[in-house]
Amino acid sequence: MAAFRTQTVRHASSGAVRAQSAVFTETGEPSKVLRVVDHEIGPADALTGTQALIRMLAAPVNPSDLNQIEGVYPVKPRFASGLVQGQLAAVGGNEGVGEVLASGPESGLCAGDWVVPRSSGVFGTWATHAVVASDDAVVRIPHDWLRGGNVAVQALDVATVKVNPSTAYRMLRDFCQLRPGDCVVQNGANSGVGRAVIQLAREMGVRTINVVRRRDDFDSLAAELEQLGADAVVMDSELADSAVRDRILRRLDSPAVRLGFNCVGGRPTLLMTRLLSQGATLVSYGAMARQPLTLPTSLLLFGDLRARGFWMNRWYADNIDSSERSTMWEHILRLTAASKFVAQPMVKVEWPASAPMLPAEIAETRVREAVAWSSGGKHAFVFSS
């Protein structure tokens, strides 16, 4: 997989570029409606204004991407002509990193720059190449953010910085002023956001109680999360036992559990709230159980619990010109370079972006397998050159 390079090593020729994209012409089950099409982009010397030709380096598959293809996500796909003859089509994927191959005179980009989508829905990332407008579609990642650490920052690290780590970063900072020694509790602790919360909280001196579903491999998962910095790992079913809750709190000896992060919903989240201190805030950012979250009035009245919601896309929309975005991404990527932050484990799906490219039907099989809800684990497309 590509890592940061200190020199520009690729330049586009003046000819058209052969590309492949994972597209859909109607919403529905991703593994059924997605198909891979061959097409041409360019030529590079025809780029005008702020346009840039990029070769994708890596792009993850997020649950929100699948919800968008299903037609149930608030950010709707952009259907356009030109990819499928006689039909409007949209390219899947909203997160990723690409390398600039060529750019228009007003783009402000140079060949070799790495860029990420400015926001969800601006262009589809499940493609080998794309032509984008640099002023409203992408953000350049400065090379110095990726330098000077103990490890080479990989393309996949950059490709995934925009959603899960950023969600964790914002939730740890935007809902209360955490102090070293404070504690947060979260469910879905083995998710991408959950792992990011553990690592970013550790850097803040904040302790974490981490709730996961009952599973046969609990011991090995708990050890894995503890290696990332988790202070306590517990199965959700155990939280019904007040003795277990008391034991966790005594062990941590924390002055306050001031924040709770919920991505599950239902009864497991209600049980988790019993660990929260008076006046704490419960932040919901997902609902994997697809069950409503019901909070008893006593928690609100006597426990002064504050229930909030957080959606990363809304934060980006509300802070489109804020320097906080750059500060956040730089912080996470510099931690990565310093071996203090690692992305969640992912199944890498190879997708050649240069000759010899895969036949479209083989690439399509790989895409459909990666986006199936039953595929297990988080998948990411790695566009090899």
Side-chain angles (χ1 to χ4, degrees):
M1 181 177 25
F4 165 68
R5 293 173 295 201
T6 58
Q7 295 181 343
T8 297
V9 297
R10 286 185 61 99
H11 297 275
S13 69
S14 59
V17 175
R18 183 189 169 195
Q20 289 183 329
S21 299
V23 306
F24 55 104
T25 57
E26 60 181 345
T27 57
E29 185 179 332
S31 61
K32 293 182 178 178
V33 300
L34 279 169
R35 57 171 158 158
V36 171
V37 296
D38 292 303
H39 58 103
E40 288 189 344
I41 292 178
D45 57 8
L47 296 171
T48 61
T50 63
Q51 288 184 321
L53 169 64
I54 63 173
R55 177 179 72 87
M56 293 303 298
L57 301 175
V61 177
N62 292 315
S64 57
D65 299 325
L66 306 184
N67 291 152
Q68 185 183 62
I69 296 169
E70 292 170 330
V72 297
Y73 196 63
V75 178
K76 301 305 179 186
R78 288 192 175 187
F79 289 96
S81 59
L83 288 174
V84 178
Q85 186 174 5
Q87 291 182 284
L88 299 179
V91 180
N94 291 285
E95 191 181 24
V97 61
E99 178 187 11
V100 175
L101 300 183
S103 57
E106 300 170 20
S107 71
L109 298 172
C110 298
D113 284 345
W114 282 15
V115 294
V116 300
R118 183 177 294 273
S119 59
S120 295
V122 292
F123 73 96
T125 57
W126 298 348
T128 59
H129 301 78
V131 172
V132 299
S134 63
D135 55 343
D136 65 358
V138 294
V139 177
R140 185 176 70 88
I141 300 297
H143 287 169
D144 67 319
W145 293 1
L146 315 178
R147 289 187 178 128
N150 304 322
V151 298
V153 176
Q154 300 292 317
L156 201 49
D157 297 319
V158 182
T160 55
V161 73
K162 180 171 158 284
V163 178
N164 290 338
S166 294
T167 297
Y169 181 99
R170 294 259 59 94
M171 293 195 303
L172 285 165
R173 285 164 172 78
D174 290 355
F175 293 93
C176 75
Q177 188 68 41
L178 291 170
R179 298 180 290 267
D182 281 345
C183 187
V184 301
V185 60
Q186 64 169 339
N187 54 30
N190 59 320
S191 67
V193 173
R195 290 167 184 263
V197 164
I198 292 169
Q199 296 172 86
L200 296 178
R202 178 197 60 203
E203 294 301 309
M204 299 168 65
V206 171
R207 299 173 181 179
T208 57
I209 302 171
N210 301 277
V211 183
V212 298
R213 288 177 294 180
R214 175 174 292 278
R215 54 202 300 143
D216 293 335
D217 63 343
F218 172 78
D219 290 339
S220 62
L221 175 61
E224 184 181 346
L225 298 181
E226 287 166 357
Q227 189 171 10
L228 294 178
D231 294 283
V233 184
V234 61
M235 287 186 283
D236 54 9
S237 57
E238 297 180 282
L239 293 181
D241 188 339
S242 60
V244 171
R245 301 196 301 271
D246 292 342
R247 185 169 65 248
I248 293 171
L249 294 174
R250 283 197 306 270
R251 193 180 99 191
L252 292 183
D253 192 26
S254 176
V257 183
R258 303 181 62 203
L259 268 179
F261 301 142
N262 163 49
C263 67
V264 177
R267 177 171 170 76
T269 301
L270 175 60
L271 294 175
M272 184 183 75
T273 62
R274 296 179 181 178
L275 287 166
L276 291 170
S277 300
Q278 178 99 4
T281 300
L282 175 67
V283 183
S284 292
Y285 67 96
M288 291 190 297
R290 300 192 177 186
Q291 297 175 357
L293 174 59
T294 303
L295 298 174
T297 303
S298 58
L299 269 178
L300 305 174
L301 183 61
F302 305 118
D304 193 23
L305 178 69
R306 296 94 187 268
R308 300 286 303 277
F310 181 78
W311 186 34
M312 196 70 232
N313 280 325
R314 182 188 299 114
W315 188 92
Y316 283 125
D318 291 344
N319 296 272
I320 193 166
D321 295 319
S322 172
S323 62
E324 269 297 302
R325 180 186 59 197
S326 294
T327 299
M328 173 173 66
W329 291 353
E330 180 181 6
H331 179 81
I332 295 165
L333 292 174
R334 288 196 185 278
L335 285 179
T336 303
S339 302
K340 295 180 179 180
F341 185 89
V342 295
Q344 73 182 110
M346 282 173 267
V347 179
K348 298 171 186 175
V349 181
E350 294 289 337
W351 190 346
S354 58
M357 298 179 78
L358 291 175
E361 59 270 20
I362 295 179
E364 184 174 298
T365 297
R366 293 187 182 184
V367 168
R368 291 190 172 192
E369 289 175 350
V371 302
W373 283 108
S374 60
S375 60
K378 184 179 179 69
H379 288 65
F381 300 113
V382 177
F383 300 94
S384 52
S385 59

